[in-house]
Amino acid sequence: MRRAKPPVGWERAKNCFPVPNELLDFDLPASAVAVYLYLLRNADRKTNQCHPSEGTIAKRLHLSRNTVAKHVHLLEERGFIVTEHTKIITKNGMKKNGNLFYTIIPMQEVMEQQFHALERTTERRKVQAKLAEQLGA
């Protein structure tokens, strides 16, 4: 079977963005996928970084801010994104918390992390089974 080539200039396309097929292989809630896609859509294609507010994400996706925060935490926990807190200085000179600064981890790295975690779990179970066998015998 012949592989189709991506359209010429795909990297420079302005009105669309590629979605990794592997995203649907992970056990993520639909809202978490929507949050990930929103971040992916808004990310700079060279740096994979963006900084929309949770309120903006919530408004665009018709979710509550708490739901967005919960899914951002889940995505970070699973290794899809990395967040950094930012600070802003108001006109009055007061420091306040800014938006989170999101870095999207390439899907290949996410899959490698998941694979290594699965390997560690499998190895741990083998060791536990050997110990149980030795103690029981």
Side-chain angles (χ1 to χ4, degrees), residues 18-85:
V19 176
N21 290 331
E22 298 84 6
L23 180 62
L24 300 177
D25 294 337
F26 294 99
D27 185 27
L28 290 173
S31 298
V33 172
V35 170
Y36 180 80
L37 292 177
Y38 186 82
L39 294 173
L40 192 62
R41 176 180 178 254
N42 288 290
D44 181 310
R45 291 190 184 199
K46 293 178 184 170
T47 63
N48 283 338
Q49 296 176 329
C50 60
H51 52 87
S53 69
E54 287 180 350
T56 300
I57 297 170
K59 184 177 177 184
R60 300 290 171 132
L61 298 178
H62 303 286
L63 300 170
S64 72
R65 287 181 70 161
N66 286 339
T67 301
V68 169
K70 177 178 77 172
H71 291 312
V72 164
H73 181 70
L74 176 67
L75 291 170
E76 188 171 22
E77 196 175 82
R78 300 257 183 109
F80 288 93
I81 61 174
V82 174
T83 61
E84 297 175 42
H85 293 279

Side-chain angles (χ1 to χ4, degrees), residues 80-98:
F80 288 93
I81 61 174
V82 174
T83 61
E84 297 175 42
H85 293 279
T86 61
K87 301 279 185 195
I88 60 169
I89 299 175
T90 63
K91 291 179 183 178
N92 302 342
M94 294 176 49
K95 284 188 178 181
K96 289 190 171 186
N97 291 332

